[in-house]
Amino acid sequence: TQIAEIQRLLLRNRLAIATALVTPTPEVIQTSTTEVESNIATITSSWKTYSTQEMAEQERALAQTFLEHRTRFVQEGLNPAISALRANDMDLARRTVLESVRPLYEPVNTDIGALMQYLVSQAKSDYEAALARYSTIRIWSVLSMVLGVLLALVLGVALIRGINRSLFHAVDVSNAVASGNLQGNIRAHGQDEAAQVLKAHKAGGYEGAKTFLRRAMLTDPLVTSIADADAILHGLLEAEKDAISSCWYA
């Protein structure tokens, strides 16, 4: 992250100045001071990018404290040390490091460490919250699937029971008509296939029974025509109206 890179460059600056003090050759001083200036510019650029991001109140407070301490550290510590090294004034450079760079670095190091710790803690909290949301979503997904399966089972059982009821009734009606029981009543409710069978049986069953009775009457020598058979059948049905199912009169 940007904060981690800033923290690394701050340490590199301390190391570069210490190297120049230990090995105060023109080449080492030039390399070290150039690196420190480059790191200062990189830190400034990275901090500018970081500070434009949306921050929580606590993070913004930590960032503001770091900015104040770091500004003073650069102006009163690093820049004078660079100038003393380039002037080859090693006594002034050592005194600047002891009296300014080291004391001013301490709050900067503390601030950047606190900011880094806050970001790590916040990332951990965000991860745990995301993990909790995932667990909740997974639980609800499993419950939804289980409830869906249970609902499908309940609807399936209800459908099967309804179809079986209609089929058993159709069998009972067919057996009753086949045995000559004309008092049964066909109950054809619903729109399933079994109900459609019952409706067709209801529409054609009684008419088929009437046709069967009509043909039986025509075998009687006293019945000379279909009209005679229909008249006798009509009279029979009227006489037994109280005992025969109303479906015969539909």
Side-chain angles (χ1 to χ4, degrees):
T1 63
Q2 292 166 322
I3 297 302
E5 179 64 12
I6 290 173
Q7 191 175 38
R8 185 186 70 83
L9 292 177
L10 287 171
L11 291 174
R12 285 292 306 169
N13 284 342
R14 290 289 308 276
L15 180 61
I17 291 178
T19 301
L21 290 174
V22 172
T23 312
T25 63
E27 294 79 8
V28 173
I29 290 175
Q30 179 62 34
T31 300
S32 297
T33 54
T34 299
E35 181 184 356
V36 171
E37 287 180 332
S38 175
N39 290 342
I40 290 174
T42 302
I43 291 173
T44 300
S45 177
S46 298
W47 183 259
K48 183 178 180 180
T49 301
Y50 167 76
S51 62
T52 59
Q53 300 174 359
E54 184 177 353
M55 302 182 192
E57 184 177 352
Q58 181 181 356
E59 182 182 2
R60 187 168 295 280
L62 292 172
Q64 182 61 34
T65 301
F66 167 79
L67 178 61
E68 293 172 359
H69 287 157
R70 190 246 170 184
T71 300
R72 186 182 175 191
F73 171 64
V74 172
Q75 293 177 350
E76 299 179 18
L78 293 180
N79 287 340
I82 291 172
S83 298
L85 287 170
R86 286 178 173 172
N88 203 27
D89 189 344
M90 304 311 299
D91 291 335
L92 177 60
R94 291 188 182 92
R95 188 166 62 252
T96 301
V97 169
L98 291 174
E99 297 177 357
S100 298
V101 173
R102 289 181 181 177
L104 291 176
Y105 175 77
E106 292 302 323
V108 172
N109 184 52
T110 300
D111 294 340
I112 198 68
L115 192 56
M116 189 67 184
Q117 181 61 37
Y118 172 83
L119 293 176
V120 171
S121 176
Q122 190 64 34
K124 182 180 179 181
S125 298
D126 292 343
Y127 170 76
E128 291 175 349
L131 189 62
R133 287 195 299 270
Y134 167 75
S135 298
T136 301
I137 293 173
R138 183 177 62 179
I139 291 173
W140 280 109
S141 298
V142 172
L143 287 177
S144 299
M145 288 188 290
V146 172
L147 290 176
V149 171
L150 291 177
L151 181 60
L153 288 175
V154 171
L155 293 177
V157 170
L159 179 61
I160 292 172
R161 290 184 63 182
I163 294 175
N164 286 342
R165 189 182 302 112
S166 298
L167 288 175
F168 289 148
H169 182 51
V171 172
D172 292 339
V173 169
S174 298
N175 291 336
V177 173
S179 64
N181 183 4
L182 305 180
Q183 296 183 0
N185 185 21
I186 299 178
R187 299 182 303 275
H189 304 293
Q191 298 297 326
D192 55 60
E193 289 80 357
Q196 297 301 320
V197 170
L198 283 173
K199 289 179 180 179
H201 191 37
K202 182 177 181 179
Y206 294 114
E207 290 300 323
K210 289 180 182 180
T211 301
F212 175 77
L213 292 174
R214 185 183 297 112
R215 290 178 179 177
M217 291 179 184
L218 287 174
T219 61
D220 192 317
L222 298 177
V223 179
T224 59
S225 65
I226 293 177
D228 291 340
D230 287 340
I232 294 172
L233 179 58
H234 178 71
L236 176 62
L237 291 175
E238 289 297 324
E240 300 296 334
K241 194 170 186 178
D242 294 336
I244 299 178
S245 172
S246 61
C247 294
W248 285 85
Y249 304 92

